[in-house]
């Protein structure tokens, strides 16, 4: 929520913090007014372009922090609201079952796994944000816990399926 507040307080979707924190496989050169970006331009060429352009680094350029920071980055109120709602439903149950430290570790490892999947499969210049990878990891863990204790897994499977559908179909507006 603190990262979202920082982004909202510094221009929302146009905030330079989004460029610093969002996951992007390769760096790109953008006009300062963010009206697009230039393909095939190196950081040095971008820097030589003057004050009208800015280099936005990607993971392959050394911005490896984006693999972690992207899972805490959101631009729109509805996006963070749904992520927080999912955490509100999943968190207490799972934290009781596996403990606070394991819950935190699971969240971070799941988020990193989601970032790795995005890094490998998304376009080189596509910025990706949100906690979906971490949330899916938590849902998977809850499924495993429910299965191990002999609980009803149908609702969890339905929730995972619904979230997967919304993520795949809604990726253009999420």
């Amino acid at each position: 929520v603190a990262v979202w507040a920082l982004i909202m307080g510094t221009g929302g979707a146009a905030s330079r913090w989004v460029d610093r924190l969002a996951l992007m496989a390769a760096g790109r050169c953008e006009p300062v007014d963010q009206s697009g970006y230039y393909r095939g331009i190196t950081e040095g060429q971008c820097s030589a372009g003057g004050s009208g352009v800015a280099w936005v680094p990607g993971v392959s350029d050394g911005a490896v922090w984006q693999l972690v920071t992207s899972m805490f980055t959101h631009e729109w109120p509805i996006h963070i609201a749904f992520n927080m709602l999912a955490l509100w439903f999943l968190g207490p149950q799972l934290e009781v079952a596996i403990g606070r430290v394991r819950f935190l570790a699971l969240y971070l490892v799941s988020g990193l796994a989601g970032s790795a999947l995005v890094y490998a499969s998304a376009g080189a210049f596509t910025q990706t944000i949100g906690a979906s990878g971490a949330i899916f990891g938590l849902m998977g863990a809850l499924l495993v816990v429910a299965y191990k204790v002999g609980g009803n897994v149908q609702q969890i499977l339905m929730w995972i399926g619904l979230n997967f559908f919304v993520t795949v179909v809604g990726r253009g507006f999420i």
Side-chain angles (χ1 to χ4, degrees):
V1 172
V3 174
W4 178 74
L6 171 70
I7 289 170
M8 290 299 103
T10 58
S15 172
R16 282 290 169 194
W17 282 103
V18 174
D19 292 336
R20 291 183 189 112
L21 302 175
L23 174 62
M24 189 166 56
R28 66 185 187 197
C29 187
E30 291 184 352
V32 174
D33 67 4
Q34 295 185 339
S35 60
Y37 64 92
Y38 305 107
R39 289 183 178 266
I41 294 179
T42 66
E43 182 177 5
Q45 292 168 325
C46 185
S47 298
S51 61
V53 292
W55 180 254
V56 179
V59 174
S60 64
D61 303 306
V64 293
W65 63 84
Q66 293 175 352
L67 294 167
V68 175
T69 59
S70 61
M71 74 178 95
F72 298 103
T73 306
H74 299 80
E75 290 179 357
W76 305 106
I78 193 78
H79 188 196
I80 194 168
F82 275 114
N83 277 229
M84 293 298 102
L85 185 63
L87 280 174
W88 187 57
F89 282 122
L90 288 170
Q93 298 174 67
L94 198 52
E95 189 177 350
V96 166
I98 66 174
R100 182 169 289 158
V101 173
R102 286 185 181 161
F103 179 84
L104 178 60
L106 176 66
Y107 182 89
L108 293 173
V109 168
S110 297
L112 282 171
S115 291
L117 178 64
V118 167
Y119 180 74
S121 61
F125 304 108
T126 303
Q127 285 185 322
T128 306
I129 58 173
S132 295
I135 300 291
F136 273 109
L138 296 179
M139 285 189 281
L142 189 60
L143 179 65
V144 169
V145 168
Y147 179 77
K148 282 190 155 200
V149 299
N152 183 356
V153 298
Q154 289 178 337
Q155 289 182 346
I156 300 169
L157 286 170
M158 187 173 73
W159 199 19
I160 291 171
L162 178 64
N163 277 280
F164 182 77
F165 176 78
V166 168
T167 299
V168 171
V169 172
R171 69 178 170 214
F173 65 86
I174 293 177

